[in-house]
Amino acid sequence: MFTVVECIWQQHDYRLLVLAALTWIVGSTGFFLLLKRACECTPVRRRGWVATAALVGGIGVWSTHFISMLAYQGAMPISFGVGLTALSAVAAIGMFWLALRIWDRGTVSADVGVALVATTGVAVMHFTGMSAIIAAAQIRYEPVLLTKGLAVTFISFTVAFRAFRQYKGLAQIAVAASFAIVAVCSLHFTAMAATSLMPDPTLPSAAIGDSRNWLIGAITAISIALILLTGAAAVIDRYLTDLHGLADATLEALIIVHRGRIIEANASFAEMAGADLSILRDQSPDDWLRAADGLPVISARTAPVEAMLLNVGDAEKILEIAVHDVEYRGRQCQVIAIRDLTDKKQAQRQVEHMATHDGLTGLPNRALFDERLTHALMRAAHTGEAVALLAIDLDRFKAVNDIFGHAEGDRILCKMASILQGVAGPADTVARIGGDEFMVLQTGATHTNDTQTLVAHIIAEVAREMDTARDPTAVNVSIGVAVYPRDATDAELLRHGADVALYRAKESGRGTACFFDREMDAAVRERRALEHDLRHAITRSQLRLVYQALISSDGGTISGYEALVRWAHPDRGLILPDQFIPLAEETGVIIPLGEWVLREACRTAVQWDNQLSVAVNVSPVQFQLAGLASTVAAILAETGLIASRLELEITESVLMKDRALALSTLNALKELGVRIVMDDFGTGYSSLSNLQSFPFDKIKIDRSFVSAIEDDVAARSIIRAIVGIGRSLNLPVVAEGVETEAQRQMIVEEGCLHAQGFLWGLPGVAPARKTSDDSAAA
Ligand code: C2E
Ligand code: CA
Ligand code: CA
């Protein structure tokens, strides 16, 4: 130890030693700062920074050594060979680099290895540098001292690298750099102390020049400058990388534009555009983006604006861009923040679509249709063009749905939707308004003909696509049309007009279309009013029954009475059943009405003491409810009428609807003891088979045959045939509507023993109570 201190004090210019020490303080600090930077980097960048650290460390060690050598003031003049001196520098850098490669492995043993390689590096550098000495002397080393020095160096380096790995913050650099200083200095000075120069006159002596001082200055300056510069580079790199990392970390795509050209773009934008920064750089942002407002991308705006990406093939993206002025790397720039709204917008559009469209057919729904109708009318009010509204209803759809199931019903609806869309013009709107209701809005029809053509097309196309003759699931359409401004002045009235026309179309038969007209409207309004009144007719006691006698055609005795309903309307006067029974059947009012008639007829008949029968007409609609037989039973029980005195008159149409249900009801009624009469016979479809299917108690020949009997041979033949059938089935036959004596004679001639008709008086009030041979009063 003493030798070393003596060597330092006595053989060196200590001012230069201070300079040397300073160089290595800067060098080792720089070395560890760079190593720290390398640790923070991604693997790719780390390699560069490790190499830079090795360069700084190597240069630092080498210049410390070299300045120290120049500080040496031994007895003998010395100088240095350039080649070996340079080689010593390269050796230092190389060995440091190697050491750091090992360091990267991160284990304790790696740290020891690093220290070993670093120690070797410093030693190699030192002795190579020594061998560069030119002096008239031989160099000798003292091995024991040398070994001790190397050991101290090795231990110091080990501590330095361990400390660097373990500490954080300032201590990390300070402790590591301090031990590295100890390591390098101890090796240098013990090696110098262990060195002795033995004069040898055979060797060439060094030429003493006065270049020493400026050489020292230059080396120090260059080394420190190099170290400081790389240190600064590390700091700047960190700052820039962090900035970049931050930009890449956002989900938003970012572009930075300077003077209208892209100078920076983050990874999100590169991915979005499918191009990396090298392609994007120097291009205009307008080459890549187009703002929805049509302005250049970097225009000043108060709010973000929608935009689309160009150059990306057909993957259409909906973006939102916001532009801000920023100062970036000391330049005035615009940063464009781009958000991808594609998914959000698509979801939004889907929700909007669901709210405005029918889920099954994908057609606009009522809400959207109403909106379009309102717009169309507003436009038409200015332009004067016509707007036609077609209300379309599927005939028989309910039956198809009930019989073949909902899947089949859905298929029919979809098919209808596609037919309508195929026929409608591009400017027209086809909508599904409800279950089996569709509407078409025809705009820009210059002539009524255009609408007529459209309607004809729809009917023709439906007929072509749906074969109602063969396909049991096929349906027809009824169409009602109203046209603005001819039929209505606003949307509400136009819809009403189309509805009225549709109603009329349905009335006039399947697969037809009707155009609205005012009389139609009046008729419908009239009907609605009547319908309304009818619902209250029972509770307001406006209904009453009249009775028409059934007579034996030859002798004139009364065998019973038929109850016929009348409606005494407070404003309209007496209304006959032909005018309100169909309406009652359609609206369902026939159910309470029929029950009322039945109860009223039974209650009245109970009061007759002649035991005559009472006949009540029953509508087919009443037969569609399963409870008819029990209703009749209840009324009989309630009124006390014997079942055998009640006759129920039905028409063949009862058997046309739900035949099985009708037959079971008829059988149940028959079991009660009630008699069943076939009314209006001869006008139905398959009379004979109907007669066969159920044991009727009586047949009534429709009055149309009787009224024609005098002039129409065919009518008389039919009467004869029916009477024949009755005789063969052992059924009494009644001829209805006998008005004249001639008619009476003729039916008697044909063998018909029972009759009914104005010949014996008009239907009237109930026969007098408890009388035996009263006939009905007119
Ligand atoms: P309907 O069952 O064939 O009843 C006989 C109809 O012929 C009655 O008409 C009666 O007034 C009429 N009539 C009777 N004799 C003659 C005649 O000699 N000449 C002419 N021209 N007509 C005659 P009304 O009362 O107007 O009844 C018409 C139809 O209304 C009835 O035909 C029946 O189908 C229905 N109806 C009447 N009352 C009821 C009822 O309470 N319930 C149901 N469901 N239907 C009823
Ligand atoms: Ca009748
Ligand atoms: Ca009849």
Side-chain angles (χ1 to χ4, degrees):
M1 188 65 186
F2 177 73
T3 331
V4 177
V5 175
E6 193 188 52
C7 160
I8 295 169
W9 278 122
Q10 295 184 353
Q11 298 177 10
H12 288 82
D13 177 342
Y14 67 89
R15 288 163 307 173
L16 289 181
L17 283 187
V18 170
L19 191 62
L22 197 71
T23 309
W24 182 230
I25 289 172
V26 176
S28 63
T29 309
F31 170 76
F32 282 108
L33 277 173
L34 289 165
L35 188 57
K36 186 178 161 98
R37 176 77 203 119
C39 296
E40 293 164 344
C41 282
T42 54
V44 183
R45 299 164 64 82
R46 181 175 302 165
R47 260 179 261 144
W49 286 116
V50 161
T52 313
L55 178 73
V56 164
I59 290 290
V61 167
W62 175 81
S63 45
T64 305
H65 163 82
F66 200 65
I67 295 164
S68 303
M69 286 307 293
L70 291 171
Y72 181 71
Q73 297 170 321
M76 203 172 292
I78 55 171
S79 67
F80 299 91
V82 176
L84 281 172
T85 303
L87 187 65
S88 68
V90 172
I93 297 167
M95 290 302 272
F96 266 105
W97 180 78
L98 208 63
L100 293 184
R101 295 302 298 260
I102 300 170
W103 193 85
D104 227 10
R105 299 203 188 133
T107 56
V108 179
S109 56
D111 287 349
V112 175
V114 175
L116 202 63
V117 176
T119 306
T120 313
V122 177
V124 168
M125 184 274 300
H126 181 89
F127 294 111
T128 311
M130 290 301 284
S131 57
I133 289 175
I134 303 167
Q138 294 216 347
I139 301 172
R140 294 272 157 77
Y141 296 105
E142 205 223 296
V144 178
L145 190 58
L146 206 59
T147 311
K148 284 180 187 167
L150 282 169
V152 173
T153 302
F154 168 64
I155 291 166
S156 303
F157 265 139
T158 309
V159 174
F161 282 106
R162 285 304 302 160
F164 179 77
R165 207 186 286 284
Q166 247 136 39
Y167 290 124
K168 291 272 164 293
L170 195 63
Q172 186 185 27
I173 306 296
V175 175
S178 303
F179 277 92
I181 292 165
V182 173
V184 169
C185 291
S186 63
L187 192 139
H188 182 83
F189 291 112
T190 50
M192 287 307 288
T195 305
S196 47
L197 296 175
M198 309 301 286
D200 183 351
T202 59
L203 295 171
S205 59
I208 301 167
D210 37 35
S211 59
R212 214 186 80 168
N213 283 342
W214 71 257
L215 192 62
I216 293 169
I219 289 169
T220 311
I222 290 168
S223 303
I224 293 185
L226 177 76
I227 293 161
L228 291 179
L229 277 176
T230 49
V235 173
I236 292 168
D237 174 70
R238 178 176 177 178
Y239 168 71
L240 293 183
T241 314
D242 288 356
L243 207 66
H244 218 82
L246 207 62
D248 282 347
T250 67
L251 289 175
E252 282 187 0
L254 297 173
I255 313 177
I256 296 171
V257 177
H258 177 62
R259 292 196 177 137
R261 299 279 139 190
I262 297 171
I263 58 165
E264 190 74 81
N266 72 350
S268 295
F269 185 76
E271 193 192 338
M272 189 184 275
D276 62 26
L277 188 57
S278 60
I279 296 174
L280 296 168
R281 194 168 275 149
D282 263 353
Q283 296 211 357
S284 162
D286 294 300
D287 295 340
W288 292 90
L289 294 163
R290 182 180 301 146
D293 58 12
L295 297 173
V297 171
I298 55 168
S299 309
R301 295 181 181 86
T302 50
V305 64
E306 260 191 39
M308 61 180 272
L309 200 58
L310 307 171
N311 305 333
V312 283
D314 36 32
E316 197 199 309
K317 281 196 180 293
I318 304 161
L319 309 172
E320 183 187 71
I321 59 169
V323 182
H324 303 284
D325 287 332
V326 291
E327 195 183 313
Y328 180 73
R329 293 186 186 171
R331 287 179 286 183
Q332 194 56 43
C333 297
Q334 286 82 37
V335 57
I336 306 170
I338 304 139
R339 213 181 304 166
D340 187 348
L341 299 182
T342 312
D343 291 347
K344 204 175 132 193
K345 283 277 171 187
Q346 261 163 6
Q348 196 180 329
R349 278 182 197 167
Q350 209 170 345
V351 169
E352 274 168 17
H353 190 269
M354 269 154 60
T356 52
H357 289 77
D358 167 42
L360 176 67
T361 59
L363 291 179
N365 63 11
R366 184 187 287 272
L368 181 58
F369 187 81
D370 286 352
E371 197 182 305
R372 298 226 180 130
L373 176 61
T374 311
H375 280 152
L377 293 186
M378 260 161 38
R379 206 181 38 240
H382 288 289
T383 60
E385 71 190 29
V387 173
L389 183 62
L390 281 65
I392 300 168
D393 195 280
L394 308 193
D395 304 323
R396 281 176 13 96
F397 176 75
K398 198 186 165 322
V400 170
N401 212 27
D402 288 349
I403 295 167
F404 297 98
H406 289 279
E408 192 56 31
D410 287 354
R411 191 187 65 81
I412 297 280
L413 290 172
C414 290
K415 188 167 180 177
M416 196 54 69
S418 85
I419 291 174
L420 292 175
Q421 271 183 312
V423 175
D428 302 344
T429 298
V430 179
R432 181 171 170 222
I433 301 301
D436 62 343
E437 283 172 70
F438 293 85
M439 275 195 171
V440 179
L441 176 68
Q442 190 192 36
T443 51
T446 46
H447 202 267
T448 335
N449 274 352
D450 294 345
T451 307
Q452 266 157 357
T453 311
L454 175 64
V455 168
H457 265 152
I458 292 173
I459 287 180
E461 199 57 21
V462 170
R464 207 171 65 83
E465 295 272 338
M466 304 256 184
D467 185 356
T468 41
R470 274 177 222 172
D471 181 0
T473 67
V475 296
N476 272 324
V477 289
S478 297
I479 306 176
V481 188
V483 180
Y484 172 92
R486 192 191 63 194
D487 302 329
T489 48
D490 63 22
E492 170 86 41
L493 290 174
L494 194 63
R495 265 191 295 260
H496 168 76
D499 274 350
V500 166
L502 174 64
Y503 185 85
R504 179 56 62 86
K506 278 182 114 47
E507 257 186 348
S508 48
R510 278 156 189 183
T512 51
C514 272
F515 278 68
F516 175 85
D517 64 47
R518 300 217 179 268
E519 293 96 84
M520 190 187 282
D521 190 31
V524 168
R525 282 177 195 280
E526 164 82 12
R527 219 187 109 92
R528 295 244 163 95
L530 202 65
E531 198 180 302
H532 173 263
D533 291 350
L534 184 59
R535 290 185 190 279
H536 300 99
I538 303 172
T539 49
R540 292 177 185 165
S541 309
Q542 294 169 356
L543 297 181
R544 59 186 174 85
L545 294 182
V546 291
Y547 296 86
Q548 184 174 32
L550 280 110
I551 313 281
S552 72
S553 50
D554 48 354
T557 45
I558 296 170
S559 58
Y561 292 96
E562 179 179 1
L564 297 163
V565 69
R566 296 290 180 266
W567 180 11
H569 192 281
D571 308 321
R572 299 167 199 258
L574 192 74
I575 307 179
L576 290 175
D578 284 339
Q579 282 170 270
F580 65 87
I581 291 295
L583 188 62
E585 286 176 332
E586 245 170 68
T587 55
V589 176
I590 191 70
I591 302 296
L593 190 149
E595 214 176 298
W596 178 86
V597 170
L598 202 59
R599 183 174 289 110
E600 186 64 21
C602 292
R603 197 165 39 214
T604 309
V606 166
Q607 297 172 354
W608 305 333
D609 64 351
N610 51 17
Q611 300 302 302
L612 293 178
S613 64
V614 65
V616 174
N617 294 286
V618 183
S619 158
V621 177
Q622 290 172 272
F623 269 83
Q624 280 166 14
L625 292 186
L628 180 63
S630 52
T631 306
V632 171
I635 288 172
L636 286 174
E638 179 194 322
T639 56
L641 186 76
I642 315 157
S644 58
R645 286 182 61 199
L646 180 64
E647 285 179 356
L648 296 183
E649 297 194 0
I650 65 163
T651 55
E652 279 169 297
S653 51
V654 165
L655 293 165
M656 303 300 292
K657 295 255 161 131
D658 188 342
R659 194 178 178 92
L661 176 66
L663 285 175
S664 87
T665 305
L666 285 174
N667 282 314
L669 288 169
K670 190 120 194 173
E671 261 172 43
L672 291 175
V674 173
R675 279 177 293 158
I676 309 293
V677 180
M678 171 64 88
D679 201 356
D680 300 343
F681 193 71
T683 53
Y685 298 94
S686 50
S687 313
L688 288 177
S689 74
N690 283 337
L691 283 182
Q692 206 181 17
S693 64
F694 183 78
F696 287 94
D697 296 289
K698 193 189 279 182
I699 305 173
K700 289 175 101 171
I701 303 172
D702 192 72
R703 64 173 186 271
S704 57
F705 300 109
V706 178
S707 64
I709 196 170
E710 289 167 274
D711 324 298
D712 188 346
V713 187
R716 190 168 181 160
S717 310
I718 289 168
I719 290 173
R720 188 180 307 139
I722 295 172
V723 171
I725 291 167
R727 194 178 297 126
S728 63
L729 291 173
N730 204 19
L731 289 180
V733 176
V734 185
E736 286 187 314
V738 180
E739 293 181 357
T740 62
E741 180 54 31
Q743 286 169 350
R744 187 193 69 81
Q745 266 179 12
M746 281 181 173
I747 60 158
V748 171
E749 278 166 31
E750 294 305 335
C752 186
L753 303 177
H754 308 273
Q756 203 177 347
F758 294 165
L759 180 65
W760 296 279
L762 293 171
V765 291
R769 223 179 136 174
K770 309 285 181 195
T771 51
S772 53
D773 60 352
D774 253 7
S775 60

